[in-house]
């Protein structure tokens, strides 16, 4: 039984046991309603304790149920029933009390929690607002600004913050059940008022609400739900609670059908499915890692392992680059400490697990080695020949190459079955995407281990077949090509960037290149041309030839004033564009933002379709994840392929404009 009532002296435990996360499925809701009735009917029970088995308290609703019409009993009714119970309830919380879980806890008279518990209303991350009183009860318990942050940003808070803000009444050391019962011994006969009956005193001034809306709009750009969550909260503190409850529920149910929520739910399920390895094989150990090359990527990859508490041996070719690599890792953590994201002790613990070496022999004991040396087949093959000679049997040998065929690298070893591509994205310790590139000879064991690496590092793995650029960079190339073509047709860099931002990208492609430096893409073009490929980038090539490498050079696609990162239209660039457009003899067009979005995205979708047809990606969702997690495609649009399908495939009529 997912809900059982167990006597404990003159108290009753209401135990929820619905693995994996005790989601509030229909059975749970029905079980709780029955529990309230049973407990109220028993005069011997002074108070009830709502507690969960497994690794967490109720961590949310059952997202699968959101696709269907809601079935009784509805969660708001369950919360109301618990709140109105004759015998008072206490929620004893460990793990996460999220969404519907927190709303249930808010219906209880008291909440106590383990020190490691987390609390949140993350509905906005699924394009929803709370639907069972979260926006109404929370501000009757915690300060309004905290409630506003929780409902509109969707980020959880710690048990300590929950305690300090009044959300929980006590933190419990040691056994939660025993602690909860101890708490009730003193408290059970003087329960606090029902939350819903409590008047709110702080209703917030106009500028408070404006500031909250501005923050939410910035953090969840392009999404409707965060603003609606704030509207619900405001209604809940300004007007009668009953009206606010009804309105919150109505908006919640409407949003379940919104494109935004459906897209976000698609991504939620895609991410979960991605964590499942594509093969049924036992992974190898992950007790230690080697990283070869301590440049931009190597340093970030080392940090990603260190963050997962896996010791790293960093191999470089010389003392100077080794020192630079070690310093780069130290800088990553210095930055984290400076921003208050990491304690000095945590930084020291991480750095203590990092060893720099110049001799590959030191990698003999590593369970996994990731190579991130220069993008050069000869150099990489030499590295793998050496790794093959020194690494223990059963070590996973991975290459972070962006464009080189990993099969050609694997062939340098006597164990191509142990070689995969692990393509990280920059900065490697931050970006969630990990393309796992499947070589021809790769063994199920190696793939399973690649998945284990992703899991340990907190990355989302996506399987890619071998092709130029794999999934992500192959589509990026189309993006860049089309963006440059648009300039030849009469659009300005600012028009293109504006259109892509309006679509929901965090940044336009030209601003992005100025930020990262045009030399990176130039080096990739040079390498591609050296491989005999035709690369279309006449304007980029001229900017690079002029030394306009981006912000660091004072100019790139835009001009920059000294010490100011604001992009300003450049006359020099306009002239170059005009000259190249004349040479290319392309018709000049008057392009609005919708045209620009369409001209860029349609070829990207078509490239995605080719990637699927060739079997490079296993599913459209795989491409969606690559674009969202690796390239900033707006999550609330569901990813490139989902978005195209949801908007009528390739029909030119689909609504490409940003919604705000
Ligand atoms: P980088 O030039 O910053 O670093 C390469 C490092 O490898 C240098 O520190 C160099 O001293 C070292 N190295 C060269 N030969 C070596 C050898 N035989 N043994 C040990 N160390 C050696 O290059 P970056 O940008 O870090 O790229 C590394 C790899 O990652 C390349 O294959 C690149 O295509 C790939 N990549 C790069 C991304 C990026 O955004 N920069 C993104 C994803 C992959």
């Amino acid at each position: 039984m997912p809900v059982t009532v167990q006597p404990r002296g003159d108290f009753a435990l209401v135990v929820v046991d619905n693995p994996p996360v005790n989601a509030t499925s229909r059975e749970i809701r029905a079980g709780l309603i029955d529990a309230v009735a049973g407990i109220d009917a028993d005069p011997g029970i002074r108070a009830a304790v709502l507690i969960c088995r497994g690794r967490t308290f109720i961590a949310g609703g059952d997202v699968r149920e959101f696709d269907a019409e809601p079935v009784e009993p509805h969660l708001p009714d369950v919360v109301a029933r618990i709140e109105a119970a004759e015998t008072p309830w206490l929620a004893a919380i460990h793990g996460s009390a999220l969404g519907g879980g927190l709303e249930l806890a808010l219906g209880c008279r008291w909440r106590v929690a383990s020190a490691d518990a987390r609390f949140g209303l993350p509905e906005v991350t699924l394009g929803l607002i709370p639907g069972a009183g979260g926006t109404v009860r929370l501000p009757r318990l915690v300060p309004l600004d905290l409630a506003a942050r929780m409902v509109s940003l969707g980020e959880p808070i710690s048990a300590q913050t929950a305690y300090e803000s009044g959300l929980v009444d006590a933190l419990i050391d040691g056994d939660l059940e025993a602690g909860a019962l101890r708490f009730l011994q003193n408290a059970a006969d003087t329960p606090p008022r029902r939350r819903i009956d409590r008047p709110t005193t702080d209703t917030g001034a106009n500028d408070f609400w404006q500031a909250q809306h501005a923050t939410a709009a910035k953090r969840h750009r392009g999404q409707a739900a965060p603003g609606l969550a704030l509207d619900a909260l405001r209604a809940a503190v300004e007007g009668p609670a009953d009206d606010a409850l009804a309105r919150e529920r109505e908006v919640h149910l409407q949003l379940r059908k919104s494109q935004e929520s459906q897209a976000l739910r698609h991504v939620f399920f895609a991410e979960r499915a991605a964590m499942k390895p594509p093969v049924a094989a036992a992974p190898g150990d992950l007790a230690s890692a080697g990283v070869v090359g301590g440049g931009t990527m190597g340093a970030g990859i080392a940090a990603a392992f260190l963050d997962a508490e896996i010791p790293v041996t960093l191999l470089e070719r010389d003392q100077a680059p080794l020192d630079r690599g070690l310093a780069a890792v130290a800088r990553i953590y210095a930055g984290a400490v400076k921003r208050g994201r990491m304690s000095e002790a945590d930084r020291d613990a991480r750095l203590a697990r990092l060893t720099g070496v110049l001799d590959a022999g030191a990698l003999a004991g590593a369970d996994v080695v990731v190579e991130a040396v220069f993008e050069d087949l000869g150099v990489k093959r030499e590295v793998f020949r050496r790794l093959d000679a020194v690494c223990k049997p059963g070590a996973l040998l991975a290459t972070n190459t962006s464009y080189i065929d990993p099969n050609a690298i694997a062939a340098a070893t006597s164990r191509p079955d142990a070689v995969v591509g692990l393509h990280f994205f920059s900065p490697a310790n931050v970006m969630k995407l990990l393309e796992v590139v499947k070589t021809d000879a790769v063994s199920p064991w190696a793939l399973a281990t690649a998945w284990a690496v992703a899991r340990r590092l907190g990355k989302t793995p996506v399987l890619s077949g071998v092709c130029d650029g794999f999934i992500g960079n192959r589509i990026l190339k189309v993006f860049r090509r089309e963006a440059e073509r648009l300039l030849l047709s009469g659009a300005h860099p600012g028009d293109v960037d504006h259109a892509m931002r309006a679509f929901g990208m965090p940044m336009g492609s030209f601003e992005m290149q100025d930020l990262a430096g045009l030399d990176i893409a130039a080096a990739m073009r040079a390498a591609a041309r050296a491989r005999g490929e035709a690369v279309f980038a006449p304007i980029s090539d001229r900017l690079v030839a002029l030394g306009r490498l981006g912000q660091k050079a004072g100019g790139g696609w835009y001009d920059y004033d000294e010490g100011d990162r604001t992009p300003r239209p450049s006359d020099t660039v306009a002239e170059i564009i005009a000259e190249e457009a004349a040479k290319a003899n392309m018709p000049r067009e008057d392009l609005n933002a919708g045209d620009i979005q369409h001209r860029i995205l349609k070829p990207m979708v078509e490239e995605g379709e080719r990637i699927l047809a060739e079997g490079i990606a296993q599913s459209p969702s795989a491409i969606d994840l690559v674009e969202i997690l690796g390239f900033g495609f707006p999550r609330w649009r569901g990813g490139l392929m989902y978005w195209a399908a949801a908007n009528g495939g390739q029909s030119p009529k689909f609504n490409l404009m940003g919604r705000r």
Side-chain angles (χ1 to χ4, degrees):
M1 282 291 285
V3 180
T4 49
V5 178
Q6 305 170 11
R8 290 288 188 277
D10 45 4
F11 299 119
L13 287 190
V14 180
V15 180
V16 173
D17 190 1
N18 184 28
V21 295
N22 292 313
T24 56
S25 61
R26 198 203 67 81
E27 257 187 309
I28 298 290
R29 300 195 300 270
L32 289 172
I33 292 270
D34 290 347
V36 176
I39 290 167
D40 272 359
D42 184 341
I45 301 176
R46 283 166 67 202
V49 176
L50 175 62
I51 194 166
C52 294
R53 295 282 173 249
R55 60 183 155 95
T56 178
F57 190 74
I58 296 162
D62 187 339
V63 181
R64 273 165 315 197
E65 284 188 3
F66 294 173
D67 283 338
E69 285 302 314
V71 281
E72 290 190 331
H74 304 304
L75 191 61
D77 300 332
V78 181
V79 178
R81 189 74 190 80
I82 290 175
E83 188 170 55
E86 284 301 317
T87 309
W89 282 45
L90 168 145
I93 297 159
H94 74 293
S96 300
L98 299 177
L102 181 56
E103 291 177 304
L104 276 167
L106 288 170
C108 296
R109 300 294 187 92
W110 310 270
R111 285 145 299 278
V112 301
S114 312
D116 64 352
R118 300 183 319 146
F119 305 79
L121 292 170
E123 282 81 356
V124 291
T125 63
L126 291 176
L128 301 169
I129 72 168
T135 63
V136 185
R137 292 187 182 89
L138 190 63
R140 287 173 164 74
L141 205 50
V142 306
L144 185 58
D145 62 335
L146 179 65
R149 280 209 308 279
M150 286 175 74
V151 302
S152 66
L153 304 183
E155 289 165 4
I157 60 170
S158 67
Q160 189 59 37
T161 307
Y163 178 61
E164 284 162 12
S165 64
L167 178 53
V168 302
D169 301 283
L171 295 179
I172 305 288
D173 278 336
D175 186 71
L176 181 62
E177 178 187 318
L181 293 172
R182 251 194 333 269
F183 177 92
L184 279 181
Q185 286 297 355
N186 299 323
D189 297 328
T190 50
R193 287 177 72 177
R194 296 179 173 94
R195 277 306 135 195
I196 208 73
D197 300 336
R198 244 174 72 142
T200 48
T201 42
D202 185 2
T203 53
N206 261 336
D207 52 355
F208 166 81
W209 292 107
Q210 269 167 16
Q212 297 297 327
H213 275 279
T215 307
K218 200 165 151 201
R219 194 76 71 78
H220 292 287
R221 218 156 54 85
Q223 290 189 44
L228 294 170
L230 285 170
D231 292 345
L233 184 69
R234 186 167 189 174
V237 294
E238 287 182 348
D242 285 343
D243 292 356
L245 283 173
R247 179 80 189 124
E248 178 204 67
R249 181 71 179 169
E250 192 186 319
V251 174
H252 169 89
L253 290 178
Q254 272 170 12
L255 286 178
R256 283 192 189 187
K257 299 195 171 113
S258 71
Q259 270 209 11
E260 173 179 318
S261 178
Q262 288 181 22
L264 287 166
R265 270 139 57 192
H266 157 74
V267 181
F268 171 84
F269 286 120
E271 278 179 329
R272 288 217 316 197
M275 298 317 291
K276 235 183 106 199
V279 284
D285 291 340
L286 282 182
S288 62
V291 174
V292 190
T296 310
M297 292 308 288
I301 294 167
F305 278 101
L306 295 171
D307 288 343
E309 301 186 358
I310 298 175
V312 174
T313 305
L314 179 66
L315 173 68
E316 260 287 354
R317 64 198 156 112
D318 237 328
Q319 192 62 47
L322 177 59
D323 291 342
R324 279 199 298 273
L326 295 173
V329 181
R331 247 195 330 273
I332 290 174
Y333 292 132
V337 170
K338 201 170 148 199
R339 286 192 298 276
R341 297 226 180 109
M342 187 181 288
S343 70
E344 294 188 358
D346 282 348
R347 171 199 64 196
D348 294 346
R350 282 170 170 77
L351 290 176
R353 293 192 199 101
L354 175 65
T355 315
V357 298
L358 295 173
D359 175 11
L363 300 180
D367 293 318
V368 48
V369 180
V370 182
E371 165 276 314
V373 304
F374 300 136
E375 184 77 341
D376 178 293
L377 178 58
V379 177
K380 290 197 191 280
R381 281 176 64 94
E382 181 52 30
V383 166
F384 273 77
R385 220 182 40 73
R386 193 75 190 108
L387 291 176
D388 189 27
V390 300
C391 289
K392 67 181 181 190
L396 179 72
L397 306 182
T399 173
N400 183 48
T401 181
S402 309
Y403 290 96
I404 296 172
D405 181 349
N407 288 309
I409 298 173
T413 72
S414 66
R415 40 172 139 170
D417 57 313
V419 179
V420 289
L422 285 184
H423 187 219
F424 291 79
F425 288 73
S426 184
N429 56 318
V430 176
M431 298 291 283
K432 290 279 169 239
L433 177 63
L434 184 63
E435 279 181 335
V436 179
V437 187
K438 189 170 184 265
T439 49
D440 294 341
V442 72
S443 66
W445 157 84
L447 278 184
T449 307
W451 249 254
V453 169
R455 240 175 213 282
R456 261 308 275 284
L457 270 46
K459 308 286 183 204
T460 305
V462 172
L463 191 67
S464 173
V466 175
C467 67
D468 191 42
F470 314 127
I471 300 172
N473 282 341
R474 179 166 159 180
I475 296 175
L476 175 67
K477 207 156 135 183
V478 174
F479 183 118
R480 292 235 169 108
R481 185 188 68 211
E482 297 306 321
E484 195 148 337
R485 275 215 177 116
L486 282 165
L487 302 184
L488 300 177
S489 303
H492 297 293
D495 300 335
V496 177
D497 285 349
H498 167 78
M500 295 323 287
R501 274 180 187 265
F503 181 75
M505 299 291 206
M507 227 187 226
S509 106
F510 297 115
E511 300 166 89
M512 183 59 157
Q513 290 182 54
D514 274 2
L515 184 68
L518 270 66
D519 41 339
I520 296 184
M524 289 189 181
R525 289 198 299 277
R529 285 173 181 142
R531 293 194 299 268
E533 290 169 34
V535 184
F536 179 79
I539 307 168
S540 300
D541 287 340
R542 284 193 57 189
L543 297 188
V544 172
L546 279 179
R548 294 190 62 101
L549 296 181
Q551 286 186 13
K552 62 183 172 188
W557 289 100
Y558 298 94
D559 286 340
Y560 297 89
D561 289 343
E562 184 83 33
D564 183 359
R565 288 160 172 255
T566 316
R568 301 177 194 288
S570 158
D571 292 340
T572 316
V573 175
E575 256 171 56
I576 293 175
I577 293 173
E579 284 168 26
E580 291 303 321
K583 265 194 240 164
N585 203 15
M586 298 210 343
R588 308 280 291 176
E589 296 172 73
D590 193 11
L591 298 163
N592 66 27
D595 300 331
I596 291 174
Q597 292 166 351
H598 188 254
R599 292 270 281 268
I600 290 184
L601 290 160
K602 187 164 181 279
M604 288 170 69
V605 172
E606 287 164 355
E607 193 68 33
E609 280 165 355
R610 277 190 288 278
I611 284 172
L612 282 169
E614 291 167 26
I616 299 294
Q618 303 293 304
S619 66
S621 307
I623 299 178
D624 291 337
L625 290 181
V626 167
E627 290 300 310
I628 291 167
L629 302 176
F631 298 89
F633 193 94
R635 189 181 178 90
W636 55 270
R637 290 201 190 266
L640 182 66
M641 305 312 280
Y642 175 90
W643 164 79
N647 289 279
Q650 293 177 33
S651 149
K653 292 207 184 67
F654 51 121
N655 168 27
L656 291 160
M657 284 301 294
R659 296 194 308 176
R660 301 188 147 199

